[in-house]
Amino acid sequence: MQLDIWLTMLVASILISVSPGAGAVVSMNYGLKYGLKRSYAAIMGLQVGLFVQTFIVVIGLGSLIMSSLLLFNIIKWIGVVYLIFLGVMKFIEKPHLPDDTAKIKAFSASKAFIQATLINLTNIKATVFLVAFIPQFLNPDKPLLGQFAIICATLICVDIIVMTGYSSLASKLKNVIKSIRAIKIQNRLTGAFLLLAAFFISTAKRA
């Protein structure tokens, strides 16, 4: 891949990753609740989902999904329902002020990883975007595997940095939230953002 093409892709990747979405909500939620270090389980889960989405598009399955109304809608509504479920659970979650030991025990790295992976895997808007985005940087005359590696590595590295930033900013607010009322507001805001993400995904249309 030529340097100028890669730099264009890098800039586009940064702008896309910075745009608030379900991944940013997940990163901020874990950063706020458990701190930056533990939020990396969720951040890595998001990257696995992004890797699979990128691979699907590069090998051509993304176009297949776009051409099948049934398959497109199945993936879309699975993602919508899952985000609605997470949002509602946040709304009804009972606010409490656990000590650090209780937080550590309550945290599950595997649960955070799986949850985040599923969120990105079922984000059909990401599929729609990647189908439109990736072909612009693919050269049909060059080996596909090498190009996939460059594109995927760029997207994932940028997203890790951006999601780390979101999580880090949120973790700095952890010490400010020291009341039941503040935690309740936090849960409601997180739930609202997840429901908003579900709404935006529900509006996705085939390219």
Side-chain angles (χ1 to χ4, degrees):
M1 183 178 290
Q2 294 179 341
L3 181 60
D4 58 334
I5 294 175
W6 179 80
L7 288 173
T8 302
M9 183 181 68
L10 177 63
V11 172
S13 300
I14 293 170
L15 293 174
I16 293 151
S17 195
V18 169
S19 303
V25 174
V26 171
S27 299
M28 288 189 290
N29 179 51
Y30 276 95
L32 187 59
K33 196 168 184 179
Y34 300 109
L36 176 60
K37 186 177 180 180
R38 294 189 185 91
S39 70
Y40 274 110
I43 292 173
M44 290 302 108
L46 291 171
Q47 305 321 308
V48 170
L50 178 58
F51 174 84
V52 174
Q53 286 260 28
T54 305
F55 180 73
I56 285 173
V57 171
V58 170
I59 66 173
L61 289 179
S63 298
L64 177 62
I65 293 171
M66 293 301 103
S67 65
S68 170
L69 180 61
L70 177 61
L71 187 56
F72 178 88
N73 281 326
I74 287 173
I75 295 173
K76 179 174 81 171
W77 290 109
I78 286 175
V80 169
V81 170
Y82 187 55
L83 284 172
I84 290 174
F85 168 75
L86 293 176
V88 170
M89 291 301 291
K90 270 294 169 184
F91 264 98
I92 65 176
E93 184 177 302
K94 187 177 180 181
H96 55 85
L97 289 168
D99 57 27
D100 289 338
T101 303
K103 280 187 176 181
I104 293 170
K105 289 181 179 178
F107 175 74
S108 169
S110 59
K111 181 179 178 182
F113 180 85
I114 292 170
Q115 184 184 86
T117 300
L118 288 173
I119 286 174
N120 253 4
L121 277 178
T122 57
N123 186 352
I124 199 66
K125 277 219 162 185
T127 306
V128 172
F129 164 75
L130 289 172
V131 166
F133 175 79
I134 289 178
Q136 299 180 51
F137 303 100
L138 287 176
N139 185 338
D141 298 325
K142 298 288 179 67
L144 193 61
L145 184 60
Q147 295 180 82
F148 164 71
I150 293 171
I151 292 171
C152 198
T154 303
L155 288 172
I156 288 175
C157 286
V158 166
D159 203 57
I160 288 174
I161 293 170
V162 172
M163 293 306 116
T164 296
Y166 275 125
S167 185
S168 179
L169 286 172
S171 68
K172 295 185 189 313
L173 298 174
K174 190 172 62 170
N175 295 328
V176 177
I177 299 176
K178 294 182 177 180
S179 69
I180 294 293
R181 184 172 180 273
I183 291 178
K184 187 174 183 179
I185 292 172
Q186 173 210 328
N187 289 344
R188 295 288 172 83
L189 284 173
T190 302
F193 278 119
L194 286 168
L195 292 175
L196 187 62
F199 169 75
F200 281 119
I201 290 177
S202 73
T203 63
K205 296 180 180 179
R206 290 185 298 165

